[in-house]
Structures are given as structure tokens and as C-alpha cells.
Amino acid sequence: MNVLDFEKLIRSERTAKHYMLTRCSMVAGFRCPSCSGDRLYEVENGKRRRCPGCGHTFNPFAGRYLNNVKLSANEWLWVVKLFELETSATVIASETGISYPTALKAIDTIRSAIAEPRGSNGGAPCGCQETDRRGRLGALNGNGAPGEAEPIADNTILYHLSLGNDCLILTERSPEYGCLVCRDRRIDVVDHGKGFPRLRVYCSAKGFWPFAKERFVKYHGIPLDKLPDYLEEMSFRWLNRGTPLFDLILERLCHYAPAGTFRKRPRAKQLAH
Ligand SMILES: [Zn+2]
């Protein structure tokens, strides 16, 4: 969506909300967060919905990712637009007038929404599901064939993401492997942990990793527990490069969030670089 079309959406709070409600109904029908009933009617001039089954009255975005942050429809659309343009939380806060913590929370919510649908099976990220389907990752010494790979312990893999025919694997710096085998392909170390001191990155030398790394270095450190969401965001941007992302991001936010998605996570070690 270009800025001229975007301008029409944010003409008023009413037009912005209408657009969001339309997108939400396309993604998943409205239902009562208390009893899941879907026979609802509007109250308070359409601001809320009521379920005749249990009498519950609720915000129409209840249960969806969008409802994790208290923003007006106009503010949400601006945040999505600025996130699409890879703007920082500081700039989003100053351009929209929302507080910095709220901007940060909105961005974290977008990242969770982008990461979740691909890993909806038990919360495992996409790459891990691929690992299970295609067999374990292996380590290879010297110039051996992929079939000669030795199994490696699961707990040495920090993160594994499948990207088309490529794989991205992050391990701690030790133990170190010369190369890994993923989906019957050899993948070599592309980052020896100079830029990201605690990590060793295995991936193709061209393509995704340079794209992601160029963006990661702007953050001056990423909390380790949030790294999977950052990687999923980068893989989303990479796989959809050349495509306008605004509606794709909004669609993810319109999904219902699995229970427990927004429980507070303990602060984790920072992944400095
Ligand atoms: Zn109900």
C-alpha cells in the first residue's frame, strides 16, 4: 500500500477502524472471548460487541494480537506503516506521539504475530518443525559427504530456521563444528562470532544472513529470548522482499493470539554485538 492509499485509510478514526475490522473479519470471524459464541451484536454505536449467549460485552479486537496494546485504530495503522518502513521505536514514538514503551510494546507484538502463525504447532519455531520432519541436523568433519554426518545434541543448537532451500543455524561459540548438514546440504560457518560474539552462524554465504545482519547491527544488542522473533521478522521480510508488507503485517496482527502469548518473560541476557 503506497502512501496515497494509506492517507485515505487514516483520514479519520472511523475510516481506520473500519479498515481494521474488515481485515480482521477476513482473517477470522468475530467471536466472544468468554464462550466463543459467534452470534454477536453491536452496542455503544459499534464500539463494542455483546454476546447474547453469555451476556459478555467486549472490544471487537478482543483476543487478537491487535488488542495487546491500547492504541487507537489510527495509531495502530501508523505503527504498522512505520514498522513496514523499518523505522525505529524512537522514531515511531516521536512521529505518532505515543510513548516510547508503548511503541516498543507494539513492535514486540508485531514480531510475535509475525513469528507465531508459522510455529503455531506447539509454539515451536518453523525451523524446528522442519528439523523434525526432515531428520536431525548433523555435524561433518573434513570433506565428507552429507550422508556421513554425525548426529549432534539438540542443546547445542540455539536456533534453526528454514528459508526456502536454505537453513540458518545458530549455535553458541562452543562446541564448534567445521560445518553442519541440514536438509542433506552442507552449510558452512558464515559468521565466526566477531560481529555477534556469543554466536556461530551457519548459513549460505549470500542471501539471507547478510540481509539480516545489516539490519540487526542497528539494534546495538538483542535480548537472547527475543532473538527468534527478530529472526522470524527478518525471514518474513526476506521471503516477501519486493512485496508491500503493510497488509501482510496487519493480517498477522488480526489473528487470534494463542493463550499465554503475552505472559511477561523474564529479562534475558543481551546478545551484544
Ligand atoms: Zn459469550
Side-chain angles (χ1 to χ4, degrees), residues 32 34-37 51 53-56:
C32 169
S34 175
C35 72
S36 297
C51 168
C54 70
H56 190 53

Side-chain angles (χ1 to χ4, degrees), residues 81-112:
K81 187 67 191 162
L82 293 167
F83 181 85
E84 177 193 19
L85 300 174
E86 303 189 54
T87 311
S88 70
T90 312
V91 174
I92 290 177
S94 71
E95 290 292 323
T96 59
I98 64 179
S99 71
Y100 177 75
T102 304
L104 215 48
K105 189 175 177 187
I107 291 174
D108 280 348
T109 303
I110 293 175
R111 288 204 180 97
S112 300

